[in-house]
Amino acid sequence: MAGGLDDIDRRILAELGRDGRMPIRQLAETLHISRANAYARVQRLRDTNVIKGFRAEVDHVAAGMGTSAYVTVNLRQAEWRAVGERLRALPGVVHIALVGGDFDVIMLVRARDNTDLRRLVLDEIQGMPGVVNTRTLLVFEEFEPPPAASWAES
């Protein structure tokens, strides 16, 4: 469906990216379309999995997860699926990407503090069968891009 998005669909994605709780009435008014059209379009975007769901934006520091890091992982190639499933099950893992280059996987992880991060990386991840080595890049500060800005410009 991604190729079948028109300007209104992209604007819907941009608006819902900024405020996923926006009422259909307000969405319709913002985009200058009827409520029925807005509702039908959002439903179609959900039915085709363009919109996969709606989530709360959580302040990870306020939620007690004040330490963040990117962890790169090299693994035994034949075991990447099994390792990937084990990594997905770990608490604090926010994002996992299988990549090409100097390492096989990069993950964004959040932990309570450096001690919790050390336990996660050294005990949990490095101790997994199939993991060859890891490298941890501590995050000092994060900057969020404007939500869904690219959808309105496509």
Side-chain angles (χ1 to χ4, degrees):
M1 161 112 199
L5 297 180
D6 64 14
D7 182 55
I8 293 173
D9 291 332
R10 287 188 288 278
R11 290 172 50 212
I12 287 171
L13 295 173
E15 291 300 324
L16 292 178
R18 281 188 275 280
D19 180 4
R21 295 182 59 176
M22 178 183 286
I24 290 291
R25 177 192 51 74
Q26 183 181 349
L27 180 64
E29 289 172 3
T30 301
L31 300 179
H32 306 291
I33 61 177
S34 71
R35 281 183 293 184
N37 188 7
Y39 178 82
R41 284 173 174 269
V42 169
Q43 190 60 49
R44 179 177 45 81
L45 291 168
R46 292 181 70 193
D47 290 346
T48 57
N49 288 323
V50 172
I51 296 175
K52 294 175 153 187
F54 299 90
R55 293 168 185 79
E57 186 176 331
V58 176
D59 181 327
H60 59 275
V61 174
M65 302 298 270
T67 298
S68 299
Y70 285 94
V71 178
T72 66
V73 180
N74 284 315
L75 47 88
R76 286 193 282 278
Q77 296 300 310
E79 299 181 49
W80 72 268
R81 282 189 175 92
V83 172
E85 289 304 312
R86 288 192 293 272
L87 292 172
R88 289 179 64 196
L90 291 175
V93 174
V94 176
H95 180 81
I96 302 173
L98 183 65
V99 297
D102 293 337
F103 43 86
D104 302 309
V105 172
I106 187 166
M107 308 184 321
L108 173 60
V109 300
R110 301 207 192 281
R112 289 186 302 275
D113 52 31
N114 285 354
T115 301
D116 191 36
L117 178 63
R118 183 203 56 77
R119 183 203 53 76
L120 177 66
V121 174
L122 298 181
D123 298 342
E124 299 287 334
I125 298 171
Q126 286 188 1
M128 280 183 186
V131 170
V132 175
N133 62 43
T134 65
R135 186 171 194 183
T136 303
L137 307 160
L138 192 60
V139 174
F140 295 127
E141 189 171 353
E142 293 182 71
F143 304 94
E144 294 292 325
S150 63
W151 288 110
E153 299 165 2
S154 295

Short mmCIF file of all heavy atoms in Angstrom, two decimals, residues 9-47:
data_model
loop_
_atom_site.label_atom_id
_atom_site.label_comp_id
_atom_site.label_asym_id
_atom_site.label_seq_id
_atom_site.Cartn_x
_atom_site.Cartn_y
_atom_site.Cartn_z
N ASP A 9 -3.58 10.95 2.52
CA ASP A 9 -3.09 9.86 3.38
C ASP A 9 -1.81 10.29 4.11
O ASP A 9 -1.66 10.06 5.31
CB ASP A 9 -2.79 8.60 2.56
CG ASP A 9 -4.04 7.94 2.01
OD1 ASP A 9 -5.11 8.07 2.62
OD2 ASP A 9 -3.92 7.28 0.96
N ARG A 10 -0.89 10.91 3.38
CA ARG A 10 0.36 11.36 4.01
C ARG A 10 0.12 12.43 5.06
O ARG A 10 0.76 12.44 6.11
CB ARG A 10 1.35 11.85 2.93
CG ARG A 10 1.96 10.70 2.11
CD ARG A 10 3.07 11.18 1.19
NE ARG A 10 2.58 11.94 0.06
CZ ARG A 10 2.10 11.41 -1.06
NH1 ARG A 10 2.08 10.10 -1.20
NH2 ARG A 10 1.67 12.16 -2.04
N ARG A 11 -0.83 13.30 4.80
CA ARG A 11 -1.17 14.33 5.79
C ARG A 11 -1.83 13.71 7.02
O ARG A 11 -1.58 14.15 8.15
CB ARG A 11 -2.06 15.41 5.15
CG ARG A 11 -1.24 16.24 4.15
CD ARG A 11 -2.06 17.21 3.31
NE ARG A 11 -2.95 18.05 4.09
CZ ARG A 11 -4.13 18.49 3.65
NH1 ARG A 11 -4.54 18.19 2.43
NH2 ARG A 11 -4.87 19.26 4.41
N ILE A 12 -2.64 12.69 6.82
CA ILE A 12 -3.24 11.96 7.96
C ILE A 12 -2.13 11.35 8.80
O ILE A 12 -2.13 11.46 10.03
CB ILE A 12 -4.23 10.88 7.47
CG1 ILE A 12 -5.51 11.53 6.96
CG2 ILE A 12 -4.53 9.87 8.58
CD1 ILE A 12 -6.47 10.58 6.26
N LEU A 13 -1.17 10.70 8.15
CA LEU A 13 -0.05 10.09 8.88
C LEU A 13 0.75 11.14 9.65
O LEU A 13 1.15 10.90 10.79
CB LEU A 13 0.85 9.31 7.92
CG LEU A 13 0.22 8.09 7.26
CD1 LEU A 13 1.16 7.50 6.21
CD2 LEU A 13 -0.19 7.05 8.29
N ALA A 14 0.96 12.29 9.04
CA ALA A 14 1.70 13.36 9.71
C ALA A 14 0.94 13.86 10.93
O ALA A 14 1.52 14.03 12.01
CB ALA A 14 1.98 14.51 8.74
N GLU A 15 -0.35 14.09 10.78
CA GLU A 15 -1.16 14.59 11.91
C GLU A 15 -1.23 13.56 13.03
O GLU A 15 -1.06 13.90 14.20
CB GLU A 15 -2.57 14.97 11.46
CG GLU A 15 -2.62 16.20 10.57
CD GLU A 15 -2.08 17.45 11.23
OE1 GLU A 15 -2.27 17.64 12.45
OE2 GLU A 15 -1.46 18.26 10.51
N LEU A 16 -1.47 12.31 12.70
CA LEU A 16 -1.55 11.26 13.73
C LEU A 16 -0.18 10.99 14.33
O LEU A 16 -0.08 10.57 15.49
CB LEU A 16 -2.18 9.99 13.17
CG LEU A 16 -3.66 10.11 12.82
CD1 LEU A 16 -4.18 8.79 12.23
CD2 LEU A 16 -4.50 10.53 14.02
N GLY A 17 0.89 11.22 13.56
CA GLY A 17 2.24 11.11 14.11
C GLY A 17 2.50 12.16 15.17
O GLY A 17 3.22 11.93 16.14
N ARG A 18 1.91 13.33 14.99
CA ARG A 18 2.05 14.40 15.99
C ARG A 18 1.15 14.16 17.20
O ARG A 18 1.51 14.48 18.32
CB ARG A 18 1.71 15.76 15.37
CG ARG A 18 2.83 16.33 14.54
CD ARG A 18 2.54 17.76 14.10
NE ARG A 18 1.73 17.82 12.89
CZ ARG A 18 2.21 17.67 11.66
NH1 ARG A 18 3.48 17.43 11.47
NH2 ARG A 18 1.43 17.77 10.62
N ASP A 19 -0.06 13.63 16.95
CA ASP A 19 -1.02 13.40 18.03
C ASP A 19 -1.87 12.19 17.67
O ASP A 19 -2.90 12.32 16.99
CB ASP A 19 -1.90 14.64 18.24
CG ASP A 19 -2.93 14.46 19.35
OD1 ASP A 19 -2.93 13.40 20.02
OD2 ASP A 19 -3.73 15.38 19.55
N GLY A 20 -1.45 11.03 18.14
CA GLY A 20 -2.17 9.79 17.85
C GLY A 20 -3.54 9.70 18.48
O GLY A 20 -4.34 8.85 18.13
N ARG A 21 -3.84 10.60 19.40
CA ARG A 21 -5.15 10.62 20.06
C ARG A 21 -6.09 11.66 19.47
O ARG A 21 -7.17 11.90 19.99
CB ARG A 21 -4.96 10.88 21.55
CG ARG A 21 -4.20 9.75 22.23
CD ARG A 21 -4.05 10.00 23.69
NE ARG A 21 -5.38 10.12 24.31
CZ ARG A 21 -5.58 10.27 25.61
NH1 ARG A 21 -4.57 10.31 26.42
NH2 ARG A 21 -6.78 10.38 26.08
N MET A 22 -5.68 12.26 18.37
CA MET A 22 -6.50 13.29 17.73
C MET A 22 -7.85 12.69 17.34
O MET A 22 -7.91 11.68 16.64
CB MET A 22 -5.80 13.85 16.49
CG MET A 22 -6.61 14.90 15.74
SD MET A 22 -5.78 15.49 14.24
CE MET A 22 -4.52 16.51 14.97
N PRO A 23 -8.94 13.32 17.76
CA PRO A 23 -10.27 12.82 17.36
C PRO A 23 -10.47 12.94 15.84
O PRO A 23 -9.92 13.85 15.20
CB PRO A 23 -11.24 13.75 18.09
CG PRO A 23 -10.45 14.41 19.16
CD PRO A 23 -9.03 14.45 18.68
N ILE A 24 -11.24 12.04 15.28
CA ILE A 24 -11.52 12.04 13.84
C ILE A 24 -12.11 13.39 13.42
O ILE A 24 -11.75 13.92 12.37
CB ILE A 24 -12.46 10.88 13.46
CG1 ILE A 24 -11.74 9.53 13.58
CG2 ILE A 24 -13.02 11.06 12.05
CD1 ILE A 24 -10.65 9.30 12.56
N ARG A 25 -12.99 13.95 14.24
CA ARG A 25 -13.59 15.24 13.93
C ARG A 25 -12.52 16.31 13.73
O ARG A 25 -12.52 17.05 12.75
CB ARG A 25 -14.57 15.66 15.04
CG ARG A 25 -15.19 17.02 14.83
CD ARG A 25 -15.92 17.54 16.07
NE ARG A 25 -15.14 17.49 17.30
CZ ARG A 25 -14.13 18.31 17.60
NH1 ARG A 25 -13.75 19.24 16.76
NH2 ARG A 25 -13.48 18.20 18.75
N GLN A 26 -11.56 16.37 14.65
CA GLN A 26 -10.48 17.36 14.55
C GLN A 26 -9.57 17.07 13.36
O GLN A 26 -9.13 17.99 12.66
CB GLN A 26 -9.68 17.37 15.84
CG GLN A 26 -8.59 18.44 15.86
CD GLN A 26 -7.79 18.42 17.15
OE1 GLN A 26 -8.15 17.76 18.12
NE2 GLN A 26 -6.67 19.12 17.15
N LEU A 27 -9.28 15.78 13.12
CA LEU A 27 -8.47 15.41 11.96
C LEU A 27 -9.13 15.88 10.68
O LEU A 27 -8.48 16.47 9.81
CB LEU A 27 -8.25 13.88 11.94
CG LEU A 27 -7.43 13.32 10.79
CD1 LEU A 27 -5.99 13.83 10.85
CD2 LEU A 27 -7.45 11.79 10.84
N ALA A 28 -10.43 15.61 10.56
CA ALA A 28 -11.17 16.02 9.37
C ALA A 28 -11.14 17.54 9.19
O ALA A 28 -10.92 18.05 8.08
CB ALA A 28 -12.61 15.53 9.46
N GLU A 29 -11.34 18.28 10.27
CA GLU A 29 -11.32 19.75 10.19
C GLU A 29 -9.93 20.25 9.79
O GLU A 29 -9.81 21.16 8.97
CB GLU A 29 -11.73 20.35 11.54
CG GLU A 29 -13.20 20.18 11.85
CD GLU A 29 -13.56 20.61 13.26
OE1 GLU A 29 -12.67 21.11 14.01
OE2 GLU A 29 -14.74 20.43 13.63
N THR A 30 -8.89 19.67 10.37
CA THR A 30 -7.52 20.09 10.07
C THR A 30 -7.19 19.87 8.59
O THR A 30 -6.53 20.70 7.97
CB THR A 30 -6.52 19.31 10.95
OG1 THR A 30 -6.83 19.57 12.32
CG2 THR A 30 -5.09 19.70 10.66
N LEU A 31 -7.67 18.75 8.05
CA LEU A 31 -7.35 18.41 6.65
C LEU A 31 -8.39 18.92 5.65
O LEU A 31 -8.24 18.71 4.44
CB LEU A 31 -7.20 16.89 6.51
CG LEU A 31 -6.11 16.26 7.36
CD1 LEU A 31 -6.08 14.76 7.17
CD2 LEU A 31 -4.76 16.87 7.05
N HIS A 32 -9.47 19.51 6.17
CA HIS A 32 -10.55 20.03 5.32
C HIS A 32 -11.19 18.92 4.48
O HIS A 32 -11.36 19.05 3.27
CB HIS A 32 -10.06 21.18 4.44
CG HIS A 32 -9.41 22.29 5.21
ND1 HIS A 32 -10.11 23.13 6.05
CD2 HIS A 32 -8.12 22.67 5.30
CE1 HIS A 32 -9.29 23.98 6.61
NE2 HIS A 32 -8.06 23.72 6.19
N ILE A 33 -11.48 17.80 5.16
CA ILE A 33 -12.21 16.70 4.53
C ILE A 33 -13.37 16.32 5.45
O ILE A 33 -13.41 16.75 6.60
CB ILE A 33 -11.30 15.46 4.26
CG1 ILE A 33 -10.72 14.91 5.57
CG2 ILE A 33 -10.19 15.83 3.27
CD1 ILE A 33 -9.88 13.64 5.40
N SER A 34 -14.29 15.53 4.95
CA SER A 34 -15.44 15.14 5.78
C SER A 34 -15.01 14.14 6.85
O SER A 34 -13.99 13.44 6.70
CB SER A 34 -16.52 14.51 4.90
OG SER A 34 -16.11 13.23 4.45
N ARG A 35 -15.78 14.07 7.93
CA ARG A 35 -15.49 13.09 8.98
C ARG A 35 -15.57 11.67 8.43
O ARG A 35 -14.75 10.82 8.77
CB ARG A 35 -16.43 13.25 10.16
CG ARG A 35 -16.03 14.40 11.06
CD ARG A 35 -16.93 14.49 12.23
NE ARG A 35 -18.25 14.88 11.72
CZ ARG A 35 -19.30 15.13 12.46
NH1 ARG A 35 -19.24 15.02 13.75
NH2 ARG A 35 -20.44 15.50 11.92
N ALA A 36 -16.54 11.42 7.57
CA ALA A 36 -16.68 10.07 6.99
C ALA A 36 -15.45 9.71 6.17
O ALA A 36 -14.95 8.58 6.24
CB ALA A 36 -17.95 10.00 6.13
N ASN A 37 -14.94 10.65 5.38
CA ASN A 37 -13.75 10.42 4.58
C ASN A 37 -12.54 10.18 5.49
O ASN A 37 -11.75 9.25 5.27
CB ASN A 37 -13.50 11.61 3.65
CG ASN A 37 -12.39 11.37 2.64
OD1 ASN A 37 -11.86 10.28 2.51
ND2 ASN A 37 -12.02 12.43 1.93
N ALA A 38 -12.39 11.01 6.54
CA ALA A 38 -11.27 10.84 7.47
C ALA A 38 -11.35 9.48 8.15
O ALA A 38 -10.35 8.76 8.24
CB ALA A 38 -11.27 11.96 8.51
N TYR A 39 -12.52 9.12 8.62
CA TYR A 39 -12.69 7.82 9.30
C TYR A 39 -12.35 6.67 8.34
O TYR A 39 -11.62 5.75 8.71
CB TYR A 39 -14.12 7.67 9.82
CG TYR A 39 -14.34 6.35 10.49
CD1 TYR A 39 -13.96 6.15 11.81
CD2 TYR A 39 -14.87 5.27 9.78
CE1 TYR A 39 -14.12 4.91 12.42
CE2 TYR A 39 -15.03 4.03 10.39
CZ TYR A 39 -14.65 3.86 11.71
OH TYR A 39 -14.81 2.64 12.31
N ALA A 40 -12.88 6.72 7.12
CA ALA A 40 -12.65 5.65 6.16
C ALA A 40 -11.17 5.53 5.81
O ALA A 40 -10.63 4.42 5.70
CB ALA A 40 -13.47 5.89 4.89
N ARG A 41 -10.50 6.67 5.64
CA ARG A 41 -9.08 6.64 5.31
C ARG A 41 -8.24 6.08 6.46
O ARG A 41 -7.34 5.27 6.24
CB ARG A 41 -8.59 8.03 4.91
CG ARG A 41 -9.02 8.44 3.51
CD ARG A 41 -8.64 9.89 3.25
NE ARG A 41 -8.92 10.28 1.89
CZ ARG A 41 -8.06 10.19 0.89
NH1 ARG A 41 -6.85 9.71 1.07
NH2 ARG A 41 -8.40 10.58 -0.33
N VAL A 42 -8.52 6.51 7.68
CA VAL A 42 -7.77 5.99 8.83
C VAL A 42 -8.02 4.49 8.95
O VAL A 42 -7.08 3.72 9.18
CB VAL A 42 -8.15 6.74 10.13
CG1 VAL A 42 -7.58 6.02 11.35
CG2 VAL A 42 -7.65 8.18 10.08
N GLN A 43 -9.26 4.06 8.78
CA GLN A 43 -9.56 2.64 8.87
C GLN A 43 -8.83 1.85 7.78
O GLN A 43 -8.28 0.78 8.05
CB GLN A 43 -11.07 2.40 8.76
CG GLN A 43 -11.47 0.98 9.08
CD GLN A 43 -11.08 0.57 10.49
OE1 GLN A 43 -11.35 1.29 11.45
NE2 GLN A 43 -10.45 -0.58 10.63
N ARG A 44 -8.78 2.39 6.56
CA ARG A 44 -8.06 1.71 5.47
C ARG A 44 -6.57 1.64 5.77
O ARG A 44 -5.92 0.61 5.56
CB ARG A 44 -8.29 2.44 4.14
CG ARG A 44 -7.55 1.81 2.95
CD ARG A 44 -7.84 2.52 1.63
NE ARG A 44 -7.80 3.96 1.67
CZ ARG A 44 -6.69 4.69 1.62
NH1 ARG A 44 -5.51 4.11 1.54
NH2 ARG A 44 -6.75 6.01 1.65
N LEU A 45 -6.00 2.73 6.32
CA LEU A 45 -4.59 2.72 6.68
C LEU A 45 -4.31 1.70 7.78
O LEU A 45 -3.26 1.07 7.80
CB LEU A 45 -4.15 4.13 7.11
CG LEU A 45 -4.11 5.17 5.97
CD1 LEU A 45 -3.95 6.57 6.54
CD2 LEU A 45 -3.02 4.85 4.97
N ARG A 46 -5.24 1.51 8.70
CA ARG A 46 -5.09 0.50 9.74
C ARG A 46 -5.26 -0.91 9.15
O ARG A 46 -4.49 -1.82 9.47
CB ARG A 46 -6.10 0.72 10.86
CG ARG A 46 -5.82 1.99 11.65
CD ARG A 46 -6.80 2.20 12.76
NE ARG A 46 -6.56 1.19 13.78
CZ ARG A 46 -7.39 0.92 14.77
NH1 ARG A 46 -8.52 1.59 14.88
NH2 ARG A 46 -7.10 0.00 15.66
N ASP A 47 -6.27 -1.09 8.31
CA ASP A 47 -6.53 -2.42 7.72
C ASP A 47 -5.38 -2.91 6.86
O ASP A 47 -5.14 -4.12 6.76
CB ASP A 47 -7.81 -2.38 6.87
CG ASP A 47 -9.08 -2.24 7.70
OD1 ASP A 47 -9.02 -2.44 8.95
OD2 ASP A 47 -10.13 -1.91 7.12
#
